Amino acid sequence: MHDEKILKVLRSSPGEYVSSDELCKDAGISRAAIWKRMESLRAEGYEIEASPHLGYRLISSPDTLIPDEIKWKLKSRVFGSNILSYKKVDSTNDVAYSLAEKGMKEGTVILAEEQAAGKGRLGRKWSSPAKGGIYMSCILRPDIAPNEIPRITLFAAVAVAKAIREFSGLAPEIKWPNDILINGRKVVGILTEMKADQDAVNFVVVGIGVNVNTPSESLPRAATSLKEEFSRSGSVTDLSRIDLARKMLERLDIEYALLKKKGFSPIIEEWKALSNIIGSRVKVMTHSRTFEAQAHDIDQDGSLVVRRERGQMEKISSGDIIIME
Amino acid sequence: MHDEKILKVLRSSPGEYVSSDELCKDAGISRAAIWKRMESLRAEGYEIEASPHLGYRLISSPDTLIPDEIKWKLKSRVFGSNILSYKKVDSTNDVAYSLAEKGMKEGTVILAEEQAAGKGRLGRKWSSPAKGGIYMSCILRPDIAPNEIPRITLFAAVAVAKAIREFSGLAPEIKWPNDILINGRKVVGILTEMKADQDAVNFVVVGIGVNVNTPSESLPRAATSLKEEFSRSGSVTDLSRIDLARKMLERLDIEYALLKKKGFSPIIEEWKALSNIIGSRVKVMTHSRTFEAQAHDIDQDGSLVVRRERGQMEKISSGDIIIME
């Protein structure tokens, strides 16, 4: 199994050799066990150099969503306090929902390398091929009423957009309510699910799917990946999913604390600054109607306010929009 | 086990004897099996008279919430199309929620004679002693957005209040959002729980607890039972829980069809006609504030509109009220 003690010792001397003696002492293992453990780390994808005289040094870590790798240097209080990572699940949201029902604590994060039945909004699928994406679901237990759920949806969109901007230098834009686009193509989808009664939300699962290094041939036409957008600037290497996952958890943590402390208004302002739709002509599709209008504002409960043809304003609390050219 | 075939034949001749020959033919069983089956029905609480020459006749059925008893003569399309009945569960809402997650169809009803951990609103317990109460949870799959959940809560309150009025002749009053009182004391509680994502409700579980014959010593002080209120008019016999459960399912069915066909407005009008609070001075308790105001109206999303001291109106979407004397 994954050997966090050895990794800790190797990481504590970045790029340098650690002698076998030191390893035995600091990781508390026998000299005879070292070789076997190094082999199992290599099998996990760690590149470790061995020298008969100098000892061992860590060259690189695999970009697998291993909890210990993400937790390494993770600066967050709530998000990622507990991380469960899977090779493949039907849906990280379903796993998280079921754990939340059993009482799993706020901040628990479910990760998967691949989803067999990734879920998108409005009953759609979320394309979730192995290698290349981050499929993450977070359990939250906010003290809100069920009609305040857009707060969670919008806060998550803001946090993830900012994390991507900080991580990649790219300029993500939010499309109401919570798609994240780069150069007009979708790179992140967010699906918020909850258990609630008439008075209060019991728990929320925020599912976030990010196309990081996902090859474009495994994505829908309207989607893109961070790698693809990043490569326009010349670079073509894979991006570190571990680093991005960590950055996302940290940003979610900061914005969630802000939401709790200062309420929803600052989130709306950030959302608007990151959004590409205010002022645009949009086609609005709710579950009962489709019409064109002008996107006017986001109001205090997270609804989209649109201006209809004759100047009347209308609030849209759930649905989908297409930005018209 | 419960023998529906024999019961059907006995019921088809109310108060009259059915010969053994007829029973064998109509219920499709052997003569030798009749006696044993009659014994097991008696053990369930059916009173069956046997005469060597005339055959058998059904004198009375037990007031146990047996699915077949409730379905007998049940006139409903959705509610009760599937009924599962338990002697004792922790919470009928929990059972229904878990079945709904597994895909159980709309209209499925869970009943229990007793709840070990009956749930009320706002994290409270719902006192659920054996014998005397109806503890019922219904699975619904309405096509609504999560912020429309008060529609379900209010429709259920209207349906149950009307069912009780029709069944008992008593005058139930609804206290916002969905307690039902008789002579100022609580006789019904409703707890609506849902699974939803940001766009749509996946399913709703409507839990309804009714104190029918429940002895007052097993109820909280502010509660009463239908039997207790009914006995003020002189009668002291137990009320038929089977008949009331059937009436409730029928009324829920009618009002749900109305909600689907005509929208929420007629429900609000009925709710107001049954409500005791419009115009009253109330103490409002939300999860963050407590204040006094005048109950002014119920608006189109089911929120309570109150008038504050200086005349300002305020919408309360969830919380609790106390009617001030």
Side-chain angles (χ1 to χ4, degrees):
Chain A
M1 277 308 298
H2 187 69
D3 201 318
E4 186 54 17
K5 279 189 217 149
I6 288 188
L7 283 171
K8 252 189 189 148
V9 179
L10 291 175
R11 280 191 193 114
S12 63
S13 309
E16 305 210 348
Y17 280 98
V18 181
S19 72
S20 298
D21 281 352
E22 269 182 87
L23 267 175
C24 294
K25 210 183 87 203
D26 296 354
I29 52 169
S30 75
R31 209 179 171 87
I34 289 184
W35 185 82
K36 208 175 154 192
R37 301 220 181 171
M38 289 297 170
E39 278 310 292
S40 73
L41 283 171
R42 283 180 179 129
E44 276 187 54
Y46 290 90
E47 199 181 338
I48 294 165
E49 220 169 63
S51 150
H53 300 294
L54 300 168
Y56 297 89
R57 69 170 177 168
L58 181 62
I59 304 292
S60 71
S61 299
D63 195 34
T64 312
L65 300 169
I66 297 167
D68 287 333
E69 284 297 330
I70 295 168
K71 279 186 175 168
W72 175 250
K73 294 194 284 187
L74 176 66
K75 292 185 287 290
S76 70
R77 293 184 57 192
V78 176
F79 283 80
S81 55
N82 183 23
I83 301 179
L84 300 171
S85 193
Y86 298 82
K87 208 170 165 62
K88 185 175 181 177
V89 295
D90 277 351
S91 147
T92 55
N93 259 36
D94 288 353
V95 173
Y97 199 95
S98 147
L99 289 170
E101 285 192 299
K102 289 180 188 114
M104 193 66 94
K105 71 173 176 178
E106 171 159 279
T108 296
V109 170
I110 308 303
L111 286 162
E113 295 287 331
E114 184 180 359
Q115 292 184 111
K119 299 193 292 186
R121 284 181 61 222
L122 305 165
R124 298 178 194 133
K125 284 181 188 173
W126 181 260
S127 173
S128 312
K131 300 277 171 201
I134 295 176
Y135 314 114
M136 175 192 279
S137 294
C138 311
I139 296 173
L140 295 179
R141 299 185 180 277
D143 184 16
I144 59 174
N147 62 350
E148 292 172 326
I149 189 73
R151 297 183 173 209
I152 301 300
T153 305
L154 270 62
F155 122 79
V158 165
V160 174
K162 288 173 88 172
I164 287 176
R165 192 172 61 190
E166 290 160 13
F167 171 76
S168 67
L170 293 165
E173 286 187 314
I174 305 178
K175 181 166 88 72
W176 184 83
N178 56 3
D179 284 344
I180 298 178
L181 314 181
I182 295 180
N183 299 318
R185 286 157 79 204
K186 193 161 162 178
V187 73
V188 177
I190 298 178
L191 175 65
T192 311
E193 296 186 284
M194 64 171 157
K195 178 170 183 176
D197 62 34
Q198 64 227 52
D199 297 293
V201 165
N202 190 324
F203 62 78
V204 179
V205 169
V206 182
I208 303 164
V210 190
N211 306 324
V212 187
N213 302 314
T214 325
S216 54
E217 57 270 22
S218 28
L219 289 175
R221 212 170 55 89
T224 187
S225 70
L226 287 178
K227 183 182 177 183
E228 186 174 339
E229 297 308 313
F230 201 69
S231 71
R232 295 176 190 237
S233 63
S235 157
V236 285
T237 50
D238 274 3
L239 302 170
S240 165
R241 292 182 306 143
I242 298 263
D243 288 350
L244 177 56
R246 193 186 294 120
K247 179 62 90 180
M248 281 163 56
L249 293 175
E250 288 171 351
R251 259 294 148 206
L252 285 162
D253 210 65
I254 292 169
E255 306 294 332
Y256 191 53
L258 185 73
L259 178 62
K260 281 195 163 170
K261 197 171 170 189
K262 307 247 169 158
F264 193 40
S265 300
I267 301 289
I268 295 183
E269 292 314 310
E270 293 214 68
W271 191 96
K272 284 185 197 166
L274 285 161
S275 166
N276 63 349
I277 65 153
I278 305 299
S280 300
R281 188 141 192 88
V282 293
K283 182 189 251 183
V284 178
M285 291 160 292
T286 73
H287 76 300
S288 58
R289 297 173 303 149
T290 297
F291 58 87
E292 287 187 26
Q294 190 194 32
H296 178 73
D297 201 2
I298 297 293
D299 81 356
Q300 284 300 317
D301 65 10
S303 298
L304 175 67
V305 182
V306 298
R307 190 190 178 88
R308 303 292 300 264
E309 266 163 45
R310 294 180 192 167
Q312 336 86 289
M313 296 297 183
E314 189 170 332
K315 269 179 64 171
I316 312 295
S317 65
S318 83
D320 219 1
I321 56 165
I322 294 172
I323 300 165
M324 314 296 284
E325 299 309 318
Chain B
M1 276 306 298
H2 187 69
D3 201 319
E4 186 54 16
K5 278 189 217 151
I6 287 187
L7 283 170
K8 250 188 191 149
V9 178
L10 291 175
R11 281 193 194 111
S12 63
S13 309
E16 306 210 346
Y17 279 100
V18 180
S19 73
S20 299
D21 281 350
E22 267 182 89
L23 268 174
C24 292
K25 211 183 86 201
D26 296 353
I29 53 170
S30 75
R31 209 176 170 87
I34 288 184
W35 185 82
K36 209 174 152 190
R37 300 218 181 173
M38 289 299 169
E39 277 312 291
S40 73
L41 283 171
R42 283 179 180 130
E44 277 188 54
Y46 289 89
E47 199 181 338
I48 295 165
E49 219 168 64
S51 152
H53 299 295
L54 300 168
Y56 297 89
R57 69 170 178 171
L58 181 62
I59 304 292
S60 73
S61 299
D63 195 34
T64 313
L65 300 169
I66 297 167
D68 287 333
E69 285 296 331
I70 295 168
K71 279 186 177 169
W72 175 248
K73 292 195 284 184
L74 176 66
K75 289 184 290 289
S76 70
R77 293 185 57 192
V78 175
F79 283 81
S81 54
N82 184 23
I83 301 178
L84 300 171
S85 194
Y86 297 82
K87 208 169 165 62
K88 186 175 180 176
V89 295
D90 278 350
S91 146
T92 55
N93 260 35
D94 288 352
V95 173
Y97 198 96
S98 146
L99 289 172
E101 284 192 298
K102 291 182 186 112
M104 192 67 92
K105 71 174 177 178
E106 171 160 279
T108 296
V109 169
I110 308 302
L111 286 161
E113 295 288 330
E114 184 179 0
Q115 291 186 111
K119 301 192 291 185
R121 284 182 60 223
L122 305 165
R124 298 180 194 131
K125 284 182 188 174
W126 181 262
S127 173
S128 311
K131 302 276 171 200
I134 295 177
Y135 314 113
M136 175 192 279
S137 294
C138 311
I139 296 173
L140 295 179
R141 300 185 180 275
D143 184 16
I144 59 173
N147 63 349
E148 292 172 325
I149 189 73
R151 298 183 173 210
I152 302 300
T153 305
L154 270 63
F155 122 78
V158 165
V160 174
K162 288 173 86 173
I164 287 175
R165 192 173 60 192
E166 289 161 13
F167 171 74
S168 67
L170 293 166
E173 285 188 314
I174 305 178
K175 182 166 86 74
W176 183 84
N178 56 3
D179 283 345
I180 297 177
L181 315 180
I182 294 180
N183 299 319
R185 286 158 80 205
K186 194 160 160 178
V187 72
V188 177
I190 299 178
L191 175 65
T192 311
E193 296 186 284
M194 64 170 157
K195 178 170 185 177
D197 62 35
Q198 64 228 52
D199 297 294
V201 165
N202 191 323
F203 61 78
V204 179
V205 169
V206 182
I208 303 162
V210 190
N211 306 324
V212 186
N213 302 315
T214 325
S216 53
E217 58 270 23
S218 30
L219 290 175
R221 212 171 55 91
T224 187
S225 70
L226 287 178
K227 183 183 176 183
E228 186 174 340
E229 298 308 314
F230 201 69
S231 70
R232 296 176 189 236
S233 63
S235 156
V236 286
T237 51
D238 273 4
L239 302 170
S240 164
R241 293 182 306 142
I242 298 263
D243 288 349
L244 177 57
R246 194 186 294 121
K247 179 62 90 180
M248 280 163 57
L249 293 175
E250 288 172 350
R251 257 296 148 205
L252 285 162
D253 209 67
I254 292 169
E255 304 295 331
Y256 191 54
L258 185 73
L259 178 62
K260 281 194 163 171
K261 196 171 169 188
K262 305 248 170 155
F264 193 40
S265 299
I267 300 289
I268 295 181
E269 292 314 312
E270 294 213 68
W271 191 97
K272 285 186 199 166
L274 285 160
S275 167
N276 63 348
I277 65 154
I278 304 299
S280 300
R281 188 141 190 89
V282 293
K283 184 189 250 184
V284 178
M285 291 160 291
T286 74
H287 76 301
S288 58
R289 299 173 301 150
T290 298
F291 58 88
E292 287 186 26
Q294 189 194 31
H296 177 74
D297 201 2
I298 296 294
D299 81 355
Q300 282 300 316
D301 64 10
S303 299
L304 175 67
V305 182
V306 297
R307 191 190 177 89
R308 303 292 300 264
E309 266 162 46
R310 294 181 192 166
Q312 335 86 289
M313 296 297 184
E314 190 171 332
K315 268 179 64 169
I316 311 296
S317 65
S318 82
D320 220 1
I321 57 165
I322 294 172
I323 300 164
M324 314 295 285
E325 300 308 319

